[in-house]
Amino acid sequence: MRRLVLSLLSLALLPVGWPHHFVLGVADPPGNAHRLAQHARLDARYQYLSGGVNTGQGWASWNPDGTFVSMYVRKSIAAHMIPVLTYYQLLQSKPATGSTEMAKDLSNLRNRRTMRAYWSDYRLLLRRVAGAAGRHLAIIHIEPDLWGYLEQAHATPLARAFARELIALRDRLAPHVLLAWHLSVWGTGEDPTYSKPSLARMDALAAQSASFYKALGARFDLVFNDVTDRDAGFYQHVEGNPHTWWGPADFSRHDVYIAGFTRRTHTPVLLWQLPLGNTMLNNTWNHYRDNRLQWWLDNSSAQHMRLTRDAGVIGLLFGGGAAGTTSDQTDGGLFYRLARRYEAHPLALP
């Protein structure tokens, strides 16, 4: 099992070999690592693995015998970037019985035939990542949204059994691969983007999230957290929802929530799938506005990033979560300009 070192500032246990600075990365398709490295010296790139485990369309079929993953990992490492693979397979597997995502996920977790296929697929993933990465850093991010649904459903025993099997297989087949759990604040039953709670309430939500995580009795290496899955302008103009914009108070609330979680779990957090929109865009398809990128990266004193780091966050991973959202190819080049400036003087981790 990997050794761990203690971060005195965030009290988070960092994996050995983690960069000594706050990490910056972006969603990036296969075959693009070299081009991405020419734009900016980023620390990480990530890719979804999806399609379902028993559909004939899952990631293992994208190239023969799961070699899609082998190539993605090798090319990332060759370009001096950490490969991050978001394993999003359960929801899209069969039979996915029910009318909601929660019901479909729970039905698949309770279906023995589906889970036999799932574990076979996951073992292939572990072997492919381990074989390609060797002792280089590589991350598997497990099932975003699922854990929030399990928390809302009060399905802690089911979540515990699933988490422990994930870690046991990793320990046996890919002991140097980092495994990331997904933290969804809405799993508490409250979404602070809409409810605008007090800072004391945010700490109480953090305690609730930490309690669920600790109840699993399964220690992951990292925790991923997403603040939203689309640009605020996309929500406003495409979905008719103008309420997902964040102001300074929202960022402060989020820092308090993450700090409360890491203080109780000692597990470092990466913010993932952050919107790439910026306030100079025109709110058309692939060009929607948001302000998160500018909040963290277009701040000359790095004060905003420092506050987020001090809460226990060790990196930011940007990328749109739906078709039509802003990407690093459609944002007018701002992400790359800010990334180059940041990577010239990255923020140190304690």
Side-chain angles (χ1 to χ4, degrees):
M1 193 65 180
R2 293 156 313 286
R3 292 183 301 112
L4 297 169
V5 296
L6 182 64
S7 162
L8 296 177
L9 187 57
S10 66
L11 296 180
L13 294 168
L14 297 175
V16 165
W18 192 261
H20 296 297
H21 63 268
F22 194 87
V23 159
L24 185 62
V26 71
D28 193 51
N32 197 57
H34 179 69
R35 184 203 62 81
L36 179 60
Q38 290 179 322
H39 280 291
R41 194 175 68 250
L42 295 172
D43 302 292
R45 62 195 287 251
Y46 77 83
Q47 164 74 40
Y48 266 93
L49 301 179
S50 59
V53 299
N54 54 6
T55 63
Q57 299 177 344
W59 70 273
S61 69
W62 297 350
N63 290 102
D65 196 25
T67 52
F68 176 91
V69 160
S70 305
M71 291 186 287
Y72 193 89
V73 170
R74 288 192 183 106
K75 289 179 180 179
S76 299
I77 292 170
H80 307 288
M81 285 181 276
I82 301 167
V84 180
L85 299 162
T86 292
Y87 191 65
Y88 186 69
Q89 285 280 73
L90 190 66
L91 180 63
Q92 297 171 339
S93 301
K94 296 178 180 179
T97 304
S99 59
T100 65
E101 288 191 4
M102 178 192 290
K104 291 175 182 177
D105 272 337
L106 290 171
S107 74
N108 280 343
L109 274 174
R110 290 168 173 152
N111 186 303
R112 291 185 179 181
R113 181 174 295 179
T114 301
M115 292 312 294
R116 279 197 297 270
Y118 188 96
W119 294 124
S120 177
D121 189 82
Y122 178 65
R123 285 193 292 269
L124 176 62
L125 170 63
L126 291 171
R127 292 189 182 102
R128 286 298 181 195
V129 176
R135 291 183 174 269
H136 289 277
L137 285 178
I139 301 169
I140 298 174
H141 167 212
I142 298 291
E143 300 289 356
D145 293 344
L146 170 66
W147 305 98
Y149 291 137
L150 287 166
E151 183 180 4
Q152 287 189 336
H154 305 289
T156 303
L158 184 61
R160 183 184 301 118
F162 182 60
R164 289 180 174 180
E165 184 66 9
L166 288 166
I167 291 175
L169 286 171
R170 188 283 310 273
D171 289 350
R172 188 167 81 240
L173 299 175
H176 299 289
V177 174
L178 303 181
L179 209 59
W181 186 76
H182 193 91
L183 170 64
S184 296
V185 64
W186 50 262
T188 63
E190 181 172 348
D191 189 335
T193 292
Y194 299 98
S195 63
K196 310 296 184 188
S198 67
L199 297 184
R201 175 62 181 161
M202 289 304 300
D203 188 64
L205 293 175
Q208 186 174 336
S209 296
S211 178
F212 175 68
Y213 174 74
K214 292 195 293 186
L216 303 179
R219 180 155 200 97
F220 289 77
D221 304 292
L222 301 165
V223 166
F224 278 36
N225 171 248
D226 54 332
V227 301
T228 184
D229 61 349
R230 290 159 174 75
D231 308 296
F234 184 100
Y235 269 116
Q236 183 171 358
H237 293 276
V238 177
E239 301 194 6
N241 177 1
H243 304 297
T244 67
W245 284 96
W246 273 18
D250 297 285
F251 288 100
S252 294
R253 274 189 283 267
H254 187 259
D255 286 341
V256 167
Y257 173 73
I258 295 297
F261 181 86
T262 58
R263 186 176 71 250
R264 293 173 172 95
T265 66
H266 297 180
T267 308
V269 174
L270 281 92
L271 303 187
W272 167 84
Q273 200 167 256
L274 296 167
L276 281 157
N278 63 69
T279 56
M280 295 174 283
L281 299 175
N282 62 3
N283 280 326
T284 59
W285 196 251
N286 292 326
H287 303 90
Y288 290 99
R289 294 178 183 174
D290 202 280
N291 64 344
R292 278 107 170 161
L293 172 67
Q294 289 155 296
W295 177 267
W296 278 301
L297 290 182
D298 198 8
N299 180 254
S300 58
S301 68
Q303 178 188 7
H304 299 157
M305 189 181 290
R306 289 177 190 276
L307 290 171
T308 297
R309 177 203 61 183
D310 294 350
V313 175
I314 61 173
L316 305 176
L317 302 178
F318 286 86
T325 54
T326 308
S327 75
D328 56 335
Q329 299 299 300
T330 64
D331 75 335
L334 182 63
F335 172 73
Y336 290 136
R337 291 196 296 273
L338 294 178
R340 286 192 295 268
R341 187 176 74 183
Y342 169 74
E343 292 291 5
H345 302 283
L347 179 65
L349 291 175

